[in-house]
């Protein structure tokens, strides 16, 4: 399913003049099926408002543009939001705060019971088991535990299992690694990559972690003050140093290094992933060495 | 969830905003007493109360529309009591009847009387919360409850609990919003079904909310401990409350209102004759 938004705008508290905030302004963005799409921007730049539109948690206002996802026209009042939400999964910041059921199994099954009430107990359990295994937990060990007895990282995994259990085609994540330790972040990144390869077709992720974005995303959008500031591959986006810094955004380490090296006269051309950068750097290093030897 | 007008502080610099919170609380109570003193069929008393609210609002710089909007919060309650009075009061002269429903003149009078009472009270009370910050309110109540100390009532702790509760209302509203969204994304449906189904649908919201409140309480207690909060009597105040000419004036006006209402109750007939 393709996501197409056109001239999307949103204003918080539109009715009262003194409190009105223009959160989104004329956003036109197309996300193709199969992408690992990153959204970056400062706090308050409209990223979260934008992604909440994608499964109808925030409805498109009158004359505020349009969103079409696959066959769903979200601008249409008669749009079946329930079916849409089964197709577009949404993981919020600190997703573990949404756990509520007595057992892990019940909590993960919540989505299935809502979206596909006709499924049998057995089919439901099968889907729950798949989801819990996918997020890297042992189904037999955790299924009857209370979600509140798990560790922080495990809770987050259960919460994500509760979203992917309905097998959404698009997974939207709003800063999912906030508050995780380095190992947790690494494991989480692996989990996302794995999901992207196996079950979820498209991933849209809001992140403050530029290394994560440059490493994994196929395309990146930069939001600033409710507007779409730039859009392109990580390489294109992160090559514009000064402007990104003006927006208060960080750069991935590889982009910093590329910049520093070019100041000393060494040009490293890479796609700024760690692998790409180190290969390109090694090549440049060898070339430089040979050049010097020849000069001697 | 965010559109609750009742009780939201309206920041401004005005005569009423600058009054002592203790005096404002006491005067609000006195005003409510005045509204209750108005006897049935003596509607000039209500007019006096309404006049007082209008004048007080003018002096508070709060837009009058906001005061009116605060009635919305209790609208259901107002309509319910009016409807109950109209349809189920069987005293007085029968005006119209259909099956078991009987509408009498007394029912209609009572309905109007109750609507006027509730609306006036809500308008006055919301004026208090519009012009007084939650912190000032809590300080004011603490100070007013001071005499209870002599029967070993923990006044300071009580006031602290109250101000913390007030402080966390917006946070909890925000949190509720977030959890509702997260559960909606998982297909939760809060809008359809009968009242029992809807109540049951709230469980996935209430439990996470309760848990996060407990967590917040823990964190807050730690933060207070870390800053050596002990809640003793030795604590001094950053803002001292002072009674000024404004409070004396306010007191005089409300005293005038109560006298006026009592007078109107007694001499209503006299006035109509004149």
């Amino acid at each position: 399913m393709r996501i197409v938004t056109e001239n999307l705008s949103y204003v918080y508290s539109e009715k009262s003049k003194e409190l009105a905030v223009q959160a989104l302004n004329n956003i036109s963005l197309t996300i193709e099926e199969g992408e690992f799409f990153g959204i970056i921007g400062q706090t308050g730049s409209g990223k979260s408002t934008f992604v909440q539109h994608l499964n109808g948690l925030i409805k498109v206002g009158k004359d505020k543009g349009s969103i079409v996802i696959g066959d769903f026209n979200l601008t249409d009042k008669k749009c079946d939001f329930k079916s849409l939400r089964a197709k577009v999964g949404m993981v919020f910041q600190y997703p573990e705060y949404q756990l509520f059921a007595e057992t892990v199994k019940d909590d993960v099954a919540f989505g299935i019971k809502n979206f596909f009430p006709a499924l049998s107990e057995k089919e439901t359990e099968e889907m729950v088991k798949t989801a819990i295994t996918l997020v890297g937990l042992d189904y037999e060990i955790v299924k009857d535990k209370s979600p509140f007895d798990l560790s922080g990282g495990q809770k987050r995994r259960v919460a994500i299992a509760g979203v992917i259990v309905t097998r959404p085609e698009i997974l939207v994540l709003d800063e999912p690694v906030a508050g995780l330790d380095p190992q947790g972040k690494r494991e989480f990144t692996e989990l996302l990559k794995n999901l992207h390869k196996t079950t979820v077709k498209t991933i849209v992720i809001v992140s403050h972690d530029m290394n994560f974005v440059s490493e994994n995303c196929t395309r990146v959008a930069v939001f600033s003050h409710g507007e779409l500031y730039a859009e392109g591959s990580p390489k294109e986006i992160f090559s514009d140093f000064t402007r990104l810094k003006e927006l208060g955004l960080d750069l991935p380490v590889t982009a910093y290094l590329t910049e520093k090296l070019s100041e000393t006269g060494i040009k490293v051309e890479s796609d700024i992933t760690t692998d790409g950068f180190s290969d390109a750097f090694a090549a440049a290093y060898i070339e430089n060495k040979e050049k010097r030897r020849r000069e001697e | 969830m965010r559109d609750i007008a009742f009780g939201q502080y309206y920041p401004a610099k005005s005569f009423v905003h600058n009054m002592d919170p203790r005096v404002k609380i006491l005067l609000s109570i006195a005003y409510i007493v005045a509204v209750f003193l108005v006897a049935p069929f003596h509607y000039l008393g209500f007019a006096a109360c309404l006049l007082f609210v209008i004048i007080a609002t003018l002096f508070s710089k709060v837009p009058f529309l906001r005061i009116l909007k605060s009635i919305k919060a209790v609208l259901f309650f107002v309509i319910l009591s009016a409807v109950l009075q109209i349809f189920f009061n069987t005293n007085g002269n029968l005006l119209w009847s259909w099956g078991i429903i009987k509408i009498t003149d007394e029912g209609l009078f009572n309905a109007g009387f109750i609507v006027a009472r509730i609306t006036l009270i809500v308008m006055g009370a919301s004026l208090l919360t519009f012009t007084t910050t939650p912190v000032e309110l809590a300080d004011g109540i603490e100070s007013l409850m001071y005499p209870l100390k002599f029967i070993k009532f923990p006044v300071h702790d009580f006031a602290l609990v109250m101000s913390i509760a007030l402080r966390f209302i917006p946070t909890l509203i925000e949190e509720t919003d977030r959890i509702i969204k997260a559960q909606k994304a998982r297909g939760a449906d809060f809008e359809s079904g009968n009242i029992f189904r809807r109540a049951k649908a709230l469980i996935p919201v209430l439990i996470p909310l309760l848990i996060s409140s407990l967590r917040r309480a823990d964190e807050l207690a730690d933060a207070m401990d870390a800053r050596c909060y002990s809640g003793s009597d030795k604590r001094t105040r950053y803002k001292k409350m002072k009674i000024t000419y404004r409070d004396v004036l306010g007191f005089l006006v409300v005293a005038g209102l109560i006298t006026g209402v009592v007078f109107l109750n007694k001499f209503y007939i006299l006035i109509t004759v004149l």
Side-chain angles (χ1 to χ4, degrees):
Chain A
M1 297 205 299
R2 197 167 171 227
I3 303 170
V4 182
T5 75
E6 256 163 43
N7 301 322
L8 185 66
S9 297
Y10 187 78
V11 183
Y12 279 107
S13 324
E14 192 166 17
K15 278 179 204 156
S16 77
K17 278 181 198 115
E18 70 246 58
L19 293 172
V21 180
Q22 179 97 29
L24 289 178
N25 195 2
N26 271 324
I27 306 276
S28 296
L29 192 62
T30 302
I31 302 172
E32 300 291 342
E33 181 167 308
E35 284 202 87
F36 199 121
F37 196 88
I39 296 178
I40 58 176
Q42 264 182 309
T43 311
S45 60
K47 301 164 291 177
S48 295
T49 311
F50 177 74
V51 294
Q52 282 178 32
H53 274 89
L54 296 182
N55 71 349
L57 286 175
I58 299 180
K59 305 253 159 75
V60 186
K62 214 180 165 210
D63 306 321
K64 299 285 180 196
S66 71
I67 309 179
V68 177
I69 300 176
D71 299 330
F72 295 96
N73 181 0
L74 278 70
T75 327
D76 192 354
K77 280 243 151 54
K78 280 172 263 164
C79 178
D80 182 0
F81 284 105
K82 208 160 179 180
S83 312
L84 171 77
R85 285 175 192 153
K87 295 271 184 206
V88 184
M90 179 94 183
V91 177
F92 283 90
Q93 217 175 346
Y94 298 103
E96 57 271 31
Y97 293 167
Q98 74 196 36
L99 299 173
F100 72 95
E102 278 172 58
T103 66
V104 169
K105 197 171 61 182
D106 288 348
D107 202 284
V108 176
F110 182 66
I112 305 178
K113 297 241 164 82
N114 289 325
F115 289 128
F116 317 115
L119 285 184
S120 72
E121 278 298 308
K122 211 169 163 215
E123 285 168 304
T124 307
E125 187 171 348
E126 209 45 56
M127 284 171 88
V128 170
K129 191 174 171 181
T130 319
I132 291 181
T133 318
L134 257 174
V135 297
L137 294 173
D138 190 323
Y139 178 69
E140 292 304 322
I141 294 176
V142 297
K143 67 168 182 178
D144 291 321
K145 276 194 184 172
S146 159
F148 305 111
D149 289 339
L150 302 173
S151 75
Q154 285 174 322
K155 272 187 203 164
R156 193 165 292 196
R157 278 157 189 268
V158 170
I160 288 163
V163 175
I164 60 164
V165 71
T166 51
R167 308 203 176 141
E169 288 186 32
I170 299 171
L171 188 62
V172 183
L173 302 107
D174 193 351
E175 290 172 42
V177 289
L180 286 184
D181 62 11
Q183 194 192 340
K185 274 186 191 168
R186 228 166 15 240
E187 285 173 2
F188 193 85
T189 309
E190 284 312 309
L191 168 64
L192 275 189
K193 276 188 186 161
N194 191 22
L195 284 177
H196 191 223
K197 245 182 261 160
T198 53
T199 51
V200 183
K201 284 185 188 143
T202 315
I203 287 186
V204 180
I205 184 164
V206 173
S207 182
H208 283 305
D209 185 343
M210 298 304 149
N211 290 317
F212 172 88
V213 172
S214 70
E215 204 67 24
N216 300 297
C217 293
T218 50
R219 236 150 40 94
V220 184
V222 187
F223 277 58
S224 174
H225 300 292
E227 291 182 18
L228 182 62
Y229 177 79
E231 173 196 355
S233 71
K235 192 193 167 189
E236 287 161 15
I237 294 294
F238 291 121
S239 60
D240 198 350
F241 281 72
T242 36
R243 282 206 306 180
L244 276 184
K245 276 188 199 153
E246 271 167 27
L247 291 183
L249 291 172
D250 211 353
L251 288 170
V253 178
T254 47
Y256 264 124
L257 288 172
T258 312
E259 165 77 355
K260 280 272 169 218
L261 287 168
S262 80
E263 276 170 22
T264 60
I266 303 168
K267 282 263 174 282
V268 180
E269 276 290 325
S270 75
D271 60 357
I272 70 164
T273 61
T274 324
D275 286 348
F277 175 80
S278 43
D279 285 352
F281 179 70
Y285 176 76
I286 292 167
E287 196 187 307
N288 212 29
K289 220 172 176 184
E290 300 237 311
K291 208 163 110 194
R292 239 182 259 169
R293 193 184 299 150
R294 261 184 269 128
E295 276 167 9
E296 277 168 18
Chain B
M1 287 262 1
R2 281 154 207 250
D3 302 330
I4 306 167
F6 182 69
Q8 251 176 31
Y9 180 66
Y10 181 86
K13 279 205 172 95
S14 77
F15 184 90
V16 182
H17 281 76
N18 284 333
M19 279 170 77
D20 187 307
R22 292 170 295 185
V23 175
K24 271 193 273 187
I25 295 167
L26 286 180
L27 292 185
S28 299
I29 296 171
Y31 164 77
I32 292 170
V33 169
V35 174
F36 272 104
L37 276 177
V38 177
F41 306 110
H42 293 74
Y43 293 111
L44 271 180
F46 282 143
C49 292
L50 183 65
L51 189 69
F52 168 77
V53 171
I54 291 172
I55 290 171
T57 311
L58 285 178
F59 273 95
S60 73
K61 290 188 186 161
V62 178
F64 197 70
L65 206 66
R66 287 226 174 195
I67 304 275
L68 284 180
K69 266 189 185 163
S70 61
I71 299 170
K72 241 165 70 180
V74 291
L75 197 62
F76 173 75
F77 186 63
V78 171
I79 292 173
L80 184 77
S81 14
V83 165
L84 283 180
Q85 277 299 332
I86 291 172
F87 291 110
F88 296 104
N89 191 331
T90 49
N91 299 328
N93 302 320
L94 190 70
L95 295 178
W96 186 77
S97 73
W98 187 75
I100 53 158
I101 298 167
K102 291 186 177 65
I103 294 179
T104 63
D105 57 350
E106 201 182 312
L108 283 178
F109 277 126
N110 275 346
F113 185 67
I114 285 174
V115 168
R117 235 184 205 176
I118 301 176
T119 334
L120 283 170
I121 288 173
V122 170
M123 279 160 78
S126 63
L127 190 60
L128 172 70
T129 48
F130 273 133
T131 58
T132 321
T133 62
V135 177
E136 282 175 346
L137 263 184
D139 283 353
I141 292 173
E142 180 182 356
S143 172
L144 287 176
M145 283 177 27
Y146 193 79
L148 290 177
K149 265 206 170 139
F150 297 110
I151 55 162
K152 296 251 161 83
F153 185 82
V155 173
H156 179 78
D157 298 338
F158 180 79
L160 182 75
V161 167
M162 212 163 50
S163 46
I164 289 175
L166 287 170
R167 151 71 185 77
F168 274 96
I169 289 174
T171 317
L172 281 180
I173 290 179
E174 211 169 279
E175 184 95 8
T176 314
D177 246 16
R178 243 185 42 146
I179 298 171
I180 285 181
K181 275 185 180 161
Q183 306 298 28
K184 261 192 183 169
R186 292 208 281 165
D189 186 355
F190 303 107
E191 277 124 31
S192 59
N194 59 29
I195 193 153
F196 292 105
R197 265 193 67 174
R198 281 197 213 187
K200 217 182 142 205
L202 281 179
I203 292 174
V205 175
L206 293 180
I207 290 177
L209 198 61
L210 186 71
I211 288 166
S212 75
S213 307
L214 290 176
R215 196 188 58 244
R216 272 179 211 287
D218 255 358
E219 282 166 5
L220 183 67
D222 283 345
M224 286 167 79
D225 255 350
R227 280 180 266 177
C228 301
Y229 178 84
S230 63
S232 68
D233 287 334
K234 284 172 200 146
R235 285 178 67 81
T236 51
R237 286 199 176 283
Y238 169 53
K239 277 186 182 156
K240 284 242 186 249
M241 289 177 281
K242 241 191 264 161
I243 290 185
T244 60
Y245 75 96
R246 294 188 187 88
D247 304 298
V248 178
L249 213 64
F251 174 77
L252 289 176
V253 171
V254 174
L257 175 72
I258 293 182
T259 330
V261 167
V262 171
F263 178 81
L264 287 170
N265 278 347
K266 286 252 154 120
F267 302 105
Y268 183 64
I269 300 154
L270 198 80
I271 290 165
T272 43
V273 168
L274 285 174

